[in-house]
mmCIF file with all atom_site columns, all heavy atoms in Angstrom:
data_model
loop_
_atom_site.group_PDB
_atom_site.id
_atom_site.type_symbol
_atom_site.label_atom_id
_atom_site.label_alt_id
_atom_site.label_comp_id
_atom_site.label_asym_id
_atom_site.label_entity_id
_atom_site.label_seq_id
_atom_site.pdbx_PDB_ins_code
_atom_site.Cartn_x
_atom_site.Cartn_y
_atom_site.Cartn_z
_atom_site.occupancy
_atom_site.B_iso_or_equiv
_atom_site.pdbx_formal_charge
_atom_site.auth_seq_id
_atom_site.auth_comp_id
_atom_site.auth_asym_id
_atom_site.auth_atom_id
_atom_site.pdbx_PDB_model_num
ATOM 1   N N   . VAL O 1 187 ? 106.252 95.351  104.328 1.00 97.00 ? 187 VAL O N   1
ATOM 2   C CA  . VAL O 1 187 ? 106.350 96.515  105.206 1.00 97.00 ? 187 VAL O CA  1
ATOM 3   C C   . VAL O 1 187 ? 107.799 96.676  105.643 1.00 97.00 ? 187 VAL O C   1
ATOM 4   O O   . VAL O 1 187 ? 108.404 95.732  106.151 1.00 97.00 ? 187 VAL O O   1
ATOM 5   C CB  . VAL O 1 187 ? 105.445 96.363  106.443 1.00 97.00 ? 187 VAL O CB  1
ATOM 6   C CG1 . VAL O 1 187 ? 105.577 97.587  107.342 1.00 97.00 ? 187 VAL O CG1 1
ATOM 7   C CG2 . VAL O 1 187 ? 103.997 96.170  106.027 1.00 97.00 ? 187 VAL O CG2 1
ATOM 8   N N   . GLY O 1 188 ? 108.328 97.862  105.432 1.00 97.00 ? 188 GLY O N   1
ATOM 9   C CA  . GLY O 1 188 ? 109.702 98.136  105.838 1.00 97.00 ? 188 GLY O CA  1
ATOM 10  C C   . GLY O 1 188 ? 109.811 99.523  106.436 1.00 97.00 ? 188 GLY O C   1
ATOM 11  O O   . GLY O 1 188 ? 108.808 100.203 106.678 1.00 97.00 ? 188 GLY O O   1
ATOM 12  N N   . THR O 1 189 ? 111.025 99.942  106.680 1.00 97.00 ? 189 THR O N   1
ATOM 13  C CA  . THR O 1 189 ? 111.274 101.278 107.229 1.00 97.00 ? 189 THR O CA  1
ATOM 14  C C   . THR O 1 189 ? 112.456 101.909 106.517 1.00 97.00 ? 189 THR O C   1
ATOM 15  O O   . THR O 1 189 ? 113.294 101.224 105.916 1.00 97.00 ? 189 THR O O   1
ATOM 16  C CB  . THR O 1 189 ? 111.580 101.220 108.741 1.00 97.00 ? 189 THR O CB  1
ATOM 17  O OG1 . THR O 1 189 ? 112.753 100.418 108.950 1.00 97.00 ? 189 THR O OG1 1
ATOM 18  C CG2 . THR O 1 189 ? 110.420 100.640 109.517 1.00 97.00 ? 189 THR O CG2 1
ATOM 19  N N   . THR O 1 190 ? 112.519 103.206 106.589 1.00 98.00 ? 190 THR O N   1
ATOM 20  C CA  . THR O 1 190 ? 113.660 103.949 106.075 1.00 98.00 ? 190 THR O CA  1
ATOM 21  C C   . THR O 1 190 ? 113.891 105.127 107.014 1.00 98.00 ? 190 THR O C   1
ATOM 22  O O   . THR O 1 190 ? 113.099 105.374 107.925 1.00 98.00 ? 190 THR O O   1
ATOM 23  C CB  . THR O 1 190 ? 113.422 104.420 104.627 1.00 98.00 ? 190 THR O CB  1
ATOM 24  O OG1 . THR O 1 190 ? 114.635 104.966 104.094 1.00 98.00 ? 190 THR O OG1 1
ATOM 25  C CG2 . THR O 1 190 ? 112.324 105.484 104.557 1.00 98.00 ? 190 THR O CG2 1
ATOM 26  N N   . THR O 1 191 ? 114.964 105.849 106.776 1.00 98.00 ? 191 THR O N   1
ATOM 27  C CA  . THR O 1 191 ? 115.300 107.002 107.606 1.00 98.00 ? 191 THR O CA  1
ATOM 28  C C   . THR O 1 191 ? 115.171 108.275 106.785 1.00 98.00 ? 191 THR O C   1
ATOM 29  O O   . THR O 1 191 ? 115.719 108.370 105.674 1.00 98.00 ? 191 THR O O   1
ATOM 30  C CB  . THR O 1 191 ? 116.730 106.894 108.165 1.00 98.00 ? 191 THR O CB  1
ATOM 31  O OG1 . THR O 1 191 ? 116.835 105.674 108.916 1.00 98.00 ? 191 THR O OG1 1
ATOM 32  C CG2 . THR O 1 191 ? 117.052 108.073 109.065 1.00 98.00 ? 191 THR O CG2 1
ATOM 33  N N   . GLY O 1 192 ? 114.423 109.245 107.313 1.00 98.00 ? 192 GLY O N   1
ATOM 34  C CA  . GLY O 1 192 ? 114.209 110.504 106.615 1.00 98.00 ? 192 GLY O CA  1
ATOM 35  C C   . GLY O 1 192 ? 115.391 111.444 106.750 1.00 98.00 ? 192 GLY O C   1
ATOM 36  O O   . GLY O 1 192 ? 116.374 111.171 107.455 1.00 98.00 ? 192 GLY O O   1
ATOM 37  N N   . LYS O 1 193 ? 115.287 112.584 106.094 1.00 98.00 ? 193 LYS O N   1
ATOM 38  C CA  . LYS O 1 193 ? 116.379 113.562 106.083 1.00 98.00 ? 193 LYS O CA  1
ATOM 39  C C   . LYS O 1 193 ? 116.703 114.089 107.477 1.00 98.00 ? 193 LYS O C   1
ATOM 40  O O   . LYS O 1 193 ? 117.847 114.441 107.764 1.00 98.00 ? 193 LYS O O   1
ATOM 41  C CB  . LYS O 1 193 ? 116.023 114.722 105.155 1.00 98.00 ? 193 LYS O CB  1
ATOM 42  C CG  . LYS O 1 193 ? 116.025 114.365 103.679 1.00 98.00 ? 193 LYS O CG  1
ATOM 43  C CD  . LYS O 1 193 ? 115.743 115.596 102.827 1.00 98.00 ? 193 LYS O CD  1
ATOM 44  C CE  . LYS O 1 193 ? 115.796 115.255 101.348 1.00 98.00 ? 193 LYS O CE  1
ATOM 45  N NZ  . LYS O 1 193 ? 115.534 116.464 100.500 1.00 98.00 ? 193 LYS O NZ  1
ATOM 46  N N   . ALA O 1 194 ? 115.685 114.163 108.315 1.00 98.00 ? 194 ALA O N   1
ATOM 47  C CA  . ALA O 1 194 ? 115.899 114.679 109.670 1.00 98.00 ? 194 ALA O CA  1
ATOM 48  C C   . ALA O 1 194 ? 116.272 113.573 110.656 1.00 98.00 ? 194 ALA O C   1
ATOM 49  O O   . ALA O 1 194 ? 116.301 113.800 111.865 1.00 98.00 ? 194 ALA O O   1
ATOM 50  C CB  . ALA O 1 194 ? 114.653 115.411 110.148 1.00 98.00 ? 194 ALA O CB  1
ATOM 51  N N   . GLY O 1 195 ? 116.509 112.365 110.141 1.00 98.00 ? 195 GLY O N   1
ATOM 52  C CA  . GLY O 1 195 ? 116.875 111.255 111.004 1.00 98.00 ? 195 GLY O CA  1
ATOM 53  C C   . GLY O 1 195 ? 115.702 110.505 111.578 1.00 98.00 ? 195 GLY O C   1
ATOM 54  O O   . GLY O 1 195 ? 115.889 109.598 112.397 1.00 98.00 ? 195 GLY O O   1
ATOM 55  N N   . GLU O 1 196 ? 114.483 110.851 111.160 1.00 98.00 ? 196 GLU O N   1
ATOM 56  C CA  . GLU O 1 196 ? 113.286 110.205 111.703 1.00 98.00 ? 196 GLU O CA  1
ATOM 57  C C   . GLU O 1 196 ? 113.043 108.864 111.003 1.00 98.00 ? 196 GLU O C   1
ATOM 58  O O   . GLU O 1 196 ? 113.361 108.697 109.818 1.00 98.00 ? 196 GLU O O   1
ATOM 59  C CB  . GLU O 1 196 ? 112.064 111.112 111.539 1.00 98.00 ? 196 GLU O CB  1
ATOM 60  C CG  . GLU O 1 196 ? 111.444 111.172 110.143 1.00 98.00 ? 196 GLU O CG  1
ATOM 61  C CD  . GLU O 1 196 ? 112.186 112.069 109.164 1.00 98.00 ? 196 GLU O CD  1
ATOM 62  O OE1 . GLU O 1 196 ? 113.311 112.510 109.474 1.00 98.00 ? 196 GLU O OE1 1
ATOM 63  O OE2 . GLU O 1 196 ? 111.632 112.312 108.064 1.00 98.00 ? 196 GLU O OE2 1
ATOM 64  N N   . LYS O 1 197 ? 112.464 107.926 111.731 1.00 97.00 ? 197 LYS O N   1
ATOM 65  C CA  . LYS O 1 197 ? 112.093 106.644 111.130 1.00 97.00 ? 197 LYS O CA  1
ATOM 66  C C   . LYS O 1 197 ? 110.804 106.827 110.325 1.00 97.00 ? 197 LYS O C   1
ATOM 67  O O   . LYS O 1 197 ? 109.863 107.477 110.778 1.00 97.00 ? 197 LYS O O   1
ATOM 68  C CB  . LYS O 1 197 ? 111.902 105.574 112.206 1.00 97.00 ? 197 LYS O CB  1
ATOM 69  C CG  . LYS O 1 197 ? 111.483 104.206 111.650 1.00 97.00 ? 197 LYS O CG  1
ATOM 70  C CD  . LYS O 1 197 ? 111.628 103.094 112.663 1.00 97.00 ? 197 LYS O CD  1
ATOM 71  C CE  . LYS O 1 197 ? 113.089 102.678 112.791 1.00 97.00 ? 197 LYS O CE  1
ATOM 72  N NZ  . LYS O 1 197 ? 113.233 101.411 113.573 1.00 97.00 ? 197 LYS O NZ  1
ATOM 73  N N   . ARG O 1 198 ? 110.773 106.240 109.138 1.00 98.00 ? 198 ARG O N   1
ATOM 74  C CA  . ARG O 1 198 ? 109.613 106.356 108.262 1.00 98.00 ? 198 ARG O CA  1
ATOM 75  C C   . ARG O 1 198 ? 109.177 104.957 107.831 1.00 98.00 ? 198 ARG O C   1
ATOM 76  O O   . ARG O 1 198 ? 109.999 104.050 107.688 1.00 98.00 ? 198 ARG O O   1
ATOM 77  C CB  . ARG O 1 198 ? 109.933 107.214 107.034 1.00 98.00 ? 198 ARG O CB  1
ATOM 78  C CG  . ARG O 1 198 ? 110.439 108.605 107.403 1.00 98.00 ? 198 ARG O CG  1
ATOM 79  C CD  . ARG O 1 198 ? 110.745 109.433 106.160 1.00 98.00 ? 198 ARG O CD  1
ATOM 80  N NE  . ARG O 1 198 ? 109.529 109.797 105.432 1.00 98.00 ? 198 ARG O NE  1
ATOM 81  C CZ  . ARG O 1 198 ? 108.786 110.859 105.736 1.00 98.00 ? 198 ARG O CZ  1
ATOM 82  N NH1 . ARG O 1 198 ? 109.140 111.658 106.749 1.00 98.00 ? 198 ARG O NH1 1
ATOM 83  N NH2 . ARG O 1 198 ? 107.714 111.137 105.046 1.00 98.00 ? 198 ARG O NH2 1
ATOM 84  N N   . VAL O 1 199 ? 107.859 104.784 107.655 1.00 97.00 ? 199 VAL O N   1
ATOM 85  C CA  . VAL O 1 199 ? 107.285 103.491 107.273 1.00 97.00 ? 199 VAL O CA  1
ATOM 86  C C   . VAL O 1 199 ? 107.166 103.425 105.753 1.00 97.00 ? 199 VAL O C   1
ATOM 87  O O   . VAL O 1 199 ? 106.721 104.368 105.103 1.00 97.00 ? 199 VAL O O   1
ATOM 88  C CB  . VAL O 1 199 ? 105.890 103.306 107.907 1.00 97.00 ? 199 VAL O CB  1
ATOM 89  C CG1 . VAL O 1 199 ? 105.262 101.975 107.478 1.00 97.00 ? 199 VAL O CG1 1
ATOM 90  C CG2 . VAL O 1 199 ? 105.987 103.381 109.424 1.00 97.00 ? 199 VAL O CG2 1
ATOM 91  N N   . VAL O 1 200 ? 107.557 102.279 105.188 1.00 97.00 ? 200 VAL O N   1
ATOM 92  C CA  . VAL O 1 200 ? 107.439 102.051 103.745 1.00 97.00 ? 200 VAL O CA  1
ATOM 93  C C   . VAL O 1 200 ? 106.592 100.798 103.531 1.00 97.00 ? 200 VAL O C   1
ATOM 94  O O   . VAL O 1 200 ? 106.960 99.710  103.980 1.00 97.00 ? 200 VAL O O   1
ATOM 95  C CB  . VAL O 1 200 ? 108.821 101.863 103.087 1.00 97.00 ? 200 VAL O CB  1
ATOM 96  C CG1 . VAL O 1 200 ? 108.657 101.634 101.581 1.00 97.00 ? 200 VAL O CG1 1
ATOM 97  C CG2 . VAL O 1 200 ? 109.716 103.069 103.348 1.00 97.00 ? 200 VAL O CG2 1
ATOM 98  N N   . ILE O 1 201 ? 105.458 100.947 102.865 1.00 97.00 ? 201 ILE O N   1
ATOM 99  C CA  . ILE O 1 201 ? 104.569 99.834  102.543 1.00 97.00 ? 201 ILE O CA  1
ATOM 100 C C   . ILE O 1 201 ? 104.531 99.673  101.030 1.00 97.00 ? 201 ILE O C   1
ATOM 101 O O   . ILE O 1 201 ? 104.183 100.611 100.316 1.00 97.00 ? 201 ILE O O   1
ATOM 102 C CB  . ILE O 1 201 ? 103.143 100.061 103.080 1.00 97.00 ? 201 ILE O CB  1
ATOM 103 C CG1 . ILE O 1 201 ? 103.168 100.271 104.595 1.00 97.00 ? 201 ILE O CG1 1
ATOM 104 C CG2 . ILE O 1 201 ? 102.232 98.893  102.724 1.00 97.00 ? 201 ILE O CG2 1
ATOM 105 C CD1 . ILE O 1 201 ? 101.823 100.676 105.182 1.00 97.00 ? 201 ILE O CD1 1
ATOM 106 N N   . THR O 1 202 ? 104.887 98.492  100.546 1.00 97.00 ? 202 THR O N   1
ATOM 107 C CA  . THR O 1 202 ? 104.916 98.240  99.104  1.00 97.00 ? 202 THR O CA  1
ATOM 108 C C   . THR O 1 202 ? 103.807 97.274  98.716  1.00 97.00 ? 202 THR O C   1
ATOM 109 O O   . THR O 1 202 ? 103.716 96.176  99.279  1.00 97.00 ? 202 THR O O   1
ATOM 110 C CB  . THR O 1 202 ? 106.276 97.649  98.682  1.00 97.00 ? 202 THR O CB  1
ATOM 111 O OG1 . THR O 1 202 ? 107.317 98.551  99.042  1.00 97.00 ? 202 THR O OG1 1
ATOM 112 C CG2 . THR O 1 202 ? 106.317 97.418  97.181  1.00 97.00 ? 202 THR O CG2 1
ATOM 113 N N   . PHE O 1 203 ? 102.970 97.677  97.769  1.00 97.00 ? 203 PHE O N   1
ATOM 114 C CA  . PHE O 1 203 ? 101.983 96.800  97.147  1.00 97.00 ? 203 PHE O CA  1
ATOM 115 C C   . PHE O 1 203 ? 102.509 96.440  95.760  1.00 97.00 ? 203 PHE O C   1
ATOM 116 O O   . PHE O 1 203 ? 102.755 97.325  94.935  1.00 97.00 ? 203 PHE O O   1
ATOM 117 C CB  . PHE O 1 203 ? 100.625 97.505  96.984  1.00 97.00 ? 203 PHE O CB  1
ATOM 118 C CG  . PHE O 1 203 ? 99.867  97.734  98.263  1.00 97.00 ? 203 PHE O CG  1
ATOM 119 C CD1 . PHE O 1 203 ? 98.679  98.445  98.248  1.00 97.00 ? 203 PHE O CD1 1
ATOM 120 C CD2 . PHE O 1 203 ? 100.327 97.242  99.470  1.00 97.00 ? 203 PHE O CD2 1
ATOM 121 C CE1 . PHE O 1 203 ? 97.964  98.665  99.418  1.00 97.00 ? 203 PHE O CE1 1
ATOM 122 C CE2 . PHE O 1 203 ? 99.624  97.458  100.649 1.00 97.00 ? 203 PHE O CE2 1
ATOM 123 C CZ  . PHE O 1 203 ? 98.433  98.170  100.622 1.00 97.00 ? 203 PHE O CZ  1
ATOM 124 N N   . ASN O 1 204 ? 102.645 95.157  95.485  1.00 98.00 ? 204 ASN O N   1
ATOM 125 C CA  . ASN O 1 204 ? 103.148 94.693  94.188  1.00 98.00 ? 204 ASN O CA  1
ATOM 126 C C   . ASN O 1 204 ? 102.141 93.694  93.644  1.00 98.00 ? 204 ASN O C   1
ATOM 127 O O   . ASN O 1 204 ? 102.166 92.515  93.997  1.00 98.00 ? 204 ASN O O   1
ATOM 128 C CB  . ASN O 1 204 ? 104.535 94.059  94.369  1.00 98.00 ? 204 ASN O CB  1
ATOM 129 C CG  . ASN O 1 204 ? 105.092 93.450  93.091  1.00 98.00 ? 204 ASN O CG  1
ATOM 130 O OD1 . ASN O 1 204 ? 104.469 93.494  92.041  1.00 98.00 ? 204 ASN O OD1 1
ATOM 131 N ND2 . ASN O 1 204 ? 106.273 92.853  93.191  1.00 98.00 ? 204 ASN O ND2 1
ATOM 132 N N   . GLY O 1 205 ? 101.218 94.171  92.791  1.00 98.00 ? 205 GLY O N   1
ATOM 133 C CA  . GLY O 1 205 ? 100.147 93.327  92.287  1.00 98.00 ? 205 GLY O CA  1
ATOM 134 C C   . GLY O 1 205 ? 100.147 93.228  90.777  1.00 98.00 ? 205 GLY O C   1
ATOM 135 O O   . GLY O 1 205 ? 100.478 94.186  90.078  1.00 98.00 ? 205 GLY O O   1
ATOM 136 N N   . LYS O 1 206 ? 99.780  92.080  90.278  1.00 98.00 ? 206 LYS O N   1
ATOM 137 C CA  . LYS O 1 206 ? 99.672  91.867  88.834  1.00 98.00 ? 206 LYS O CA  1
ATOM 138 C C   . LYS O 1 206 ? 98.581  92.760  88.258  1.00 98.00 ? 206 LYS O C   1
ATOM 139 O O   . LYS O 1 206 ? 97.522  92.927  88.861  1.00 98.00 ? 206 LYS O O   1
ATOM 140 C CB  . LYS O 1 206 ? 99.344  90.401  88.557  1.00 98.00 ? 206 LYS O CB  1
ATOM 141 C CG  . LYS O 1 206 ? 99.202  90.051  87.076  1.00 98.00 ? 206 LYS O CG  1
ATOM 142 C CD  . LYS O 1 206 ? 98.877  88.575  86.904  1.00 98.00 ? 206 LYS O CD  1
ATOM 143 C CE  . LYS O 1 206 ? 98.713  88.218  85.426  1.00 98.00 ? 206 LYS O CE  1
ATOM 144 N NZ  . LYS O 1 206 ? 98.402  86.768  85.252  1.00 98.00 ? 206 LYS O NZ  1
ATOM 145 N N   . PHE O 1 207 ? 98.831  93.331  87.085  1.00 98.00 ? 207 PHE O N   1
ATOM 146 C CA  . PHE O 1 207 ? 97.813  94.147  86.424  1.00 98.00 ? 207 PHE O CA  1
ATOM 147 C C   . PHE O 1 207 ? 96.833  93.238  85.709  1.00 98.00 ? 207 PHE O C   1
ATOM 148 O O   . PHE O 1 207 ? 97.219  92.332  84.956  1.00 98.00 ? 207 PHE O O   1
ATOM 149 C CB  . PHE O 1 207 ? 98.443  95.113  85.424  1.00 98.00 ? 207 PHE O CB  1
ATOM 150 C CG  . PHE O 1 207 ? 97.426  95.905  84.652  1.00 98.00 ? 207 PHE O CG  1
ATOM 151 C CD1 . PHE O 1 207 ? 96.702  96.913  85.280  1.00 98.00 ? 207 PHE O CD1 1
ATOM 152 C CD2 . PHE O 1 207 ? 97.170  95.636  83.320  1.00 98.00 ? 207 PHE O CD2 1
ATOM 153 C CE1 . PHE O 1 207 ? 95.754  97.644  84.586  1.00 98.00 ? 207 PHE O CE1 1
ATOM 154 C CE2 . PHE O 1 207 ? 96.228  96.364  82.612  1.00 98.00 ? 207 PHE O CE2 1
ATOM 155 C CZ  . PHE O 1 207 ? 95.508  97.372  83.249  1.00 98.00 ? 207 PHE O CZ  1
ATOM 156 N N   . LEU O 1 208 ? 95.550  93.454  85.951  1.00 98.00 ? 208 LEU O N   1
ATOM 157 C CA  . LEU O 1 208 ? 94.482  92.666  85.334  1.00 98.00 ? 208 LEU O CA  1
ATOM 158 C C   . LEU O 1 208 ? 93.641  93.564  84.438  1.00 98.00 ? 208 LEU O C   1
ATOM 159 O O   . LEU O 1 208 ? 92.878  94.397  84.934  1.00 98.00 ? 208 LEU O O   1
ATOM 160 C CB  . LEU O 1 208 ? 93.592  92.035  86.410  1.00 98.00 ? 208 LEU O CB  1
ATOM 161 C CG  . LEU O 1 208 ? 94.287  91.104  87.410  1.00 98.00 ? 208 LEU O CG  1
ATOM 162 C CD1 . LEU O 1 208 ? 93.287  90.632  88.466  1.00 98.00 ? 208 LEU O CD1 1
ATOM 163 C CD2 . LEU O 1 208 ? 94.909  89.912  86.703  1.00 98.00 ? 208 LEU O CD2 1
ATOM 164 N N   . PRO O 1 209 ? 93.768  93.443  83.120  1.00 98.00 ? 209 PRO O N   1
ATOM 165 C CA  . PRO O 1 209 ? 92.996  94.305  82.220  1.00 98.00 ? 209 PRO O CA  1
ATOM 166 C C   . PRO O 1 209 ? 91.542  93.859  82.128  1.00 98.00 ? 209 PRO O C   1
ATOM 167 O O   . PRO O 1 209 ? 91.237  92.660  82.185  1.00 98.00 ? 209 PRO O O   1
ATOM 168 C CB  . PRO O 1 209 ? 93.710  94.127  80.874  1.00 98.00 ? 209 PRO O CB  1
ATOM 169 C CG  . PRO O 1 209 ? 94.306  92.762  80.944  1.00 98.00 ? 209 PRO O CG  1
ATOM 170 C CD  . PRO O 1 209 ? 94.683  92.544  82.387  1.00 98.00 ? 209 PRO O CD  1
ATOM 171 N N   . PHE O 1 210 ? 90.638  94.831  82.019  1.00 97.00 ? 210 PHE O N   1
ATOM 172 C CA  . PHE O 1 210 ? 89.255  94.507  81.704  1.00 97.00 ? 210 PHE O CA  1
ATOM 173 C C   . PHE O 1 210 ? 89.185  94.008  80.262  1.00 97.00 ? 210 PHE O C   1
ATOM 174 O O   . PHE O 1 210 ? 89.834  94.559  79.374  1.00 97.00 ? 210 PHE O O   1
ATOM 175 C CB  . PHE O 1 210 ? 88.355  95.735  81.871  1.00 97.00 ? 210 PHE O CB  1
ATOM 176 C CG  . PHE O 1 210 ? 88.121  96.115  83.307  1.00 97.00 ? 210 PHE O CG  1
ATOM 177 C CD1 . PHE O 1 210 ? 88.748  97.234  83.848  1.00 97.00 ? 210 PHE O CD1 1
ATOM 178 C CD2 . PHE O 1 210 ? 87.281  95.370  84.117  1.00 97.00 ? 210 PHE O CD2 1
ATOM 179 C CE1 . PHE O 1 210 ? 88.538  97.602  85.174  1.00 97.00 ? 210 PHE O CE1 1
ATOM 180 C CE2 . PHE O 1 210 ? 87.063  95.725  85.438  1.00 97.00 ? 210 PHE O CE2 1
ATOM 181 C CZ  . PHE O 1 210 ? 87.695  96.843  85.964  1.00 97.00 ? 210 PHE O CZ  1
#
Side-chain angles (χ1 to χ4, degrees):
V187 180
T189 60
T190 189
T191 302
K193 290 183 178 181
E196 77 281 11
K197 179 166 282 191
R198 304 180 69 85
V199 178
V200 180
I201 302 173
T202 301
F203 289 175
N204 175 1
K206 180 180 179 180
F207 176 72
L208 301 176
F210 288 106

